Amino acid sequence: MQVWQVTALGHPAERTERALPVASSGQARVKVAAVGLNFADLLMAEGKYQERPTLPFIPGMEFAGTIDSIAPDSATGLQPGDRVAGFASGGALAEYVTAQAAHLIALPASMSFAQAAAFQIAYGTSHLALDRKARLQPGEVLLVFGAAGGVGLTAVEIGKRMGARVIACARGAEKLEIARAAGADVLIDSDTPDLKAALKAAAKPWGGVDVVYDPVGGPAFAAALSACRPEGRLLTIGFASGQLPDIPANHLLVKNLSVMGLYWGGYMTFAPQVLADSLRTLFQWFAEGGLRPHISHELPFADYPKGLELLRTRKATGKVVITL
């Protein structure tokens, strides 16, 4: 089968061939139709991600396709021919991938393979962050950084569904318009000269920000602190800026603030049922017409490097999907 393979960290992936994988006990083999790209794919190829797979490795963390074969002991109700989505720590950028059958999700009839490949990590991250960690309540104020990006846009959408007032912060008018279409109430350009003042002014009519959703990191985090009301909750989702935020503990103390981290993939290890329950809710919301995945670029398998470059240069909005 054809695969993309990373043989050396910091070097471009190579297109090559590998033997077809075989589904072992409890697994299914899926013929891949689409793969969703994530900023984590970029970091992993550069050796900067929190997980470092053994070289050489096949990148790609979320996929959708059709079950090709399934182990006899996989008591999931799934069978060959079923349309499914799955998550893996890697290995999806291939014509076939094996995964634990219990972790595969049958797709709603209305969901395309591309939508499914763009769905799990982005929506799953925002749902767990806002619902399980921050306990976002109706009427609260949610500030989202990177609001037109892969996870940020889903935070806007889910935040509105949960009844929040949403302040979206993104770079440029085009990206802000995408956030507005997802339901944002207030739009702030992240390149504004005085971001701290802009955030405070936006939140003032509502008494301040209750929850901050930050997949960007860097100095924006400090600007958000000043806009938070007492007992605000700040979520660190990632560091797309390449800078870790400085967190002044004295500010947290004085305003009774809480900072929480959310690494979606980590739940696969210590609490997989939490992921399963969250995804079940999200796929139901999609089936009801309540979620609309935004895919800015859908590229063929041969253009995987172009997809990574779109993430690196921040030219993508929502998700980039590779199709086979």
Side-chain angles (χ1 to χ4, degrees):
M1 65 174 181
Q2 290 284 310
V3 306
W4 281 98
Q5 181 174 272
V6 175
T7 57
L9 298 179
H11 293 268
E14 303 170 354
R15 188 172 177 178
T16 185
E17 288 188 349
R18 279 200 186 184
L20 208 64
V22 177
S24 58
S25 177
Q27 290 189 325
R29 183 171 69 194
V30 177
K31 182 176 174 58
V32 179
V35 180
L37 297 189
N38 295 276
F39 201 76
D41 293 309
L42 185 61
L43 296 178
M44 196 175 293
E46 295 175 348
K48 299 177 181 178
Y49 196 56
Q50 53 259 38
E51 294 181 10
R52 294 197 176 189
T54 302
L55 293 169
F57 68 89
I58 299 171
M61 303 172 71
E62 57 184 332
F63 60 90
T66 305
I67 292 180
D68 174 69
S69 63
I70 190 166
D73 63 348
S74 301
T76 61
L78 296 172
Q79 57 188 354
D82 285 350
R83 300 167 69 251
V84 294
F87 167 79
S89 57
L93 276 156
E95 292 182 295
Y96 291 84
V97 64
T98 55
Q100 291 297 313
H103 296 161
L104 296 174
I105 301 172
L107 302 187
S110 58
M111 179 177 274
S112 70
F113 285 129
Q115 289 174 321
F119 194 82
Q120 295 170 94
I121 294 177
Y123 281 101
T125 295
S126 292
H127 184 246
L128 284 188
L130 298 177
D131 183 61
R132 181 180 176 86
K133 299 287 285 188
R135 306 291 184 184
L136 181 68
Q137 300 299 309
E140 288 192 318
V141 178
L142 168 65
L143 167 61
V144 180
F145 288 122
V151 292
L153 191 59
T154 63
V156 172
E157 196 174 359
I158 289 176
K160 286 303 295 182
R161 185 180 177 91
M162 294 176 68
R165 301 181 176 101
V166 179
I167 301 171
C169 188
R171 179 173 294 163
E174 181 180 351
K175 290 184 177 181
L176 287 172
E177 176 58 27
I178 290 171
R180 186 203 61 76
D185 298 285
V186 179
L187 307 175
I188 297 177
D189 194 317
S190 58
D191 284 337
T192 189
D194 191 342
L195 183 60
K196 180 188 292 189
L199 294 177
K200 291 180 71 172
K204 185 176 181 179
W206 297 317
V209 171
D210 296 288
V211 176
V212 177
Y213 183 99
D214 183 16
V216 178
F221 188 92
L225 284 173
S226 64
C228 286
R229 74 165 80 220
E231 292 198 325
R233 292 92 76 198
L234 298 98
L235 294 155
T236 60
I237 307 299
F239 315 107
S241 68
Q243 300 179 54
L244 300 181
D246 292 322
I247 302 176
N250 58 320
H251 288 199
L252 305 184
L253 183 152
V254 171
K255 296 181 74 172
N256 289 288
L257 304 177
S258 300
V259 177
M260 296 171 278
L262 191 285
Y263 169 41
W264 185 83
Y267 281 86
M268 187 65 74
T269 302
F270 69 85
Q273 192 57 46
V274 170
L275 284 190
D277 292 344
S278 172
L279 288 172
R280 189 176 299 111
T281 295
L282 290 166
F283 275 87
Q284 181 62 38
W285 285 358
F286 176 90
E288 294 169 356
L291 300 176
R292 299 171 295 170
H294 177 84
I295 301 171
S296 66
H297 296 81
E298 195 171 320
L299 304 174
F301 189 67
D303 286 347
Y304 163 63
K306 294 181 181 178
L308 277 191
E309 191 61 21
L310 288 167
L311 298 182
R312 187 193 314 276
T313 57
R314 301 189 191 182
K315 293 181 179 178
T317 55
K319 293 285 285 191
V320 176
V321 172
I322 303 299
T323 59
L324 286 80

